[in-house]
Amino acid sequence: MCTTASCRQHAAFKAHAPHAAVCKCVANRLSCARLHHSQQDRMRPFHSQPSHARSSDRKISSRVFAGTMDSGNCALVVGATGGVGQVLTGKLLDRGCKVKALSRNPAKARSLFGSAQNLELVQGDCREGGDLQKIFAGVDVVVCVLGTTAFPSARWKGGNGPEQTDSIATGNLIRATPKGIKRFVLVTSAGVERYNKLPFSILNLFGVLKFKRQSEELLMQSGLAYTILRPGRLTDGPYTSYDLNTLLKATAGNKQDVQIAAKDELNGETSRIALAEALLQALQLPETENKVFALTSTEGEGPGTDKAKWKALFQAS
């Protein structure tokens, strides 16, 4: 988020906004549909779908129920050196999963994670597209936590604005992801369906919510099994100077409980720690496949790492 003194409008809304395995018979019936739609996706321009389409108007190209992540599976984390990505990477490694961390700067990733076991650092830039297919070797699930600031900042240097990050890079990643991946989990933002209304219209002055919404629609129409999480304004961290062991001990203070909704109707803040745990849990629960969830942090003890409690929260939304 922009923190410059000149951006007084931003302060007005800061408290409200952020930033099974299938059985063979079913797989056979879906194979032709997947091939057909994958060909269509390659021909369809990224911006061909209206960003203002309502949830009830969406047409999903093919519903694929691909399964959940198991211990020992490999997760491709795109945006692993960011505030949410680094916490998620630490949690995945701690739970016995393999992680392939995609970064434009492997040296930065190495300084954050060291030589952790089961971690592979891969250099790549999703903005350029190109031969992204090679990064999916051995990958079971994909988590995209790419993001930038909503307003002009130092992070925009080098072509890191909202369109390049939330539309071009994320779109290239979605198109390149093989249909056999168990799950593609995408982090966007609260307000993506309300960006024409205050206070989100201010947050969207440079298009960050519009571009995130476009990537949501592309993913939902891709034929991939997906989960989308929409956090509020992110708190806790980023822990850029923490080593992996210290990172895993970080807590969300008094706001360790979470509120989850199926609609873009929540306002408030979301702990990066809670969001990272929600991402990990969503990967393990079939109940979260092909669904969208809003997520905010509230005061209370929260579900922690209890899978049954997270399942109940997702099911109740």
Side-chain angles (χ1 to χ4, degrees), residues 80-147:
T81 60
V84 176
Q86 57 186 310
V87 180
L88 173 63
T89 297
K91 285 178 174 289
L92 286 166
L93 293 171
D94 188 55
R95 310 286 172 88
C97 298
K98 299 174 184 178
V99 176
K100 184 177 283 192
L102 181 68
S103 174
R104 285 177 289 166
N105 187 350
K108 178 183 178 182
R110 193 171 292 107
S111 69
L112 287 171
F113 305 119
S115 55
Q117 188 176 3
N118 292 328
L119 174 65
E120 179 184 356
L121 304 179
V122 182
Q123 185 170 8
D125 190 341
C126 291
R127 297 172 304 174
E128 298 176 358
D131 189 20
L132 286 176
Q133 284 77 13
K134 61 185 180 182
I135 68 175
F136 296 100
V139 169
D140 298 289
V141 298
V142 177
V143 184
C144 179
V145 286
L146 291 173

Side-chain angles (χ1 to χ4, degrees), residues 24-36:
K24 292 183 179 179
C25 62
V26 176
N28 289 335
R29 289 203 301 266
L30 286 174
S31 60
C32 290
R34 290 181 185 174
L35 177 59
H36 171 71

Side-chain angles (χ1 to χ4, degrees), residues 62-85:
S62 59
R63 281 214 177 263
V64 179
F65 293 89
T68 57
M69 182 185 68
D70 302 315
S71 179
N73 279 177
C74 179
L76 173 65
V77 180
V78 183
T81 60
V84 176

Side-chain angles (χ1 to χ4, degrees), residues 6 63 87 94 102 111-112 126 128 144 150 153 157 164 193 216 222 228 231 239 255 263 269 271 279 281 295:
S6 61
R63 281 214 177 263
V87 180
D94 188 55
L102 181 68
S111 69
L112 287 171
C126 291
E128 298 176 358
C144 179
S153 70
K157 292 181 179 179
Q164 294 91 340
E193 294 188 271
E216 285 189 353
S222 68
I228 297 172
Y239 304 99
K255 291 188 175 183
K263 297 180 180 179
E269 301 176 339
S271 162
L279 289 166
Q281 295 290 339
L295 176 76

Side-chain angles (χ1 to χ4, degrees), residues 46 126-127 129 132 144 146 163-177 184 186 211 214-216 218-219:
F46 177 49
C126 291
R127 297 172 304 174
L132 286 176
C144 179
L146 291 173
E163 183 174 13
Q164 294 91 340
T165 302
D166 294 304
S167 176
I168 296 173
T170 304
N172 287 339
L173 180 67
I174 293 169
R175 291 190 195 88
T177 301
F184 190 114
L186 175 63
F211 295 128
Q214 288 173 349
S215 289
E216 285 189 353
L218 181 67
L219 177 58

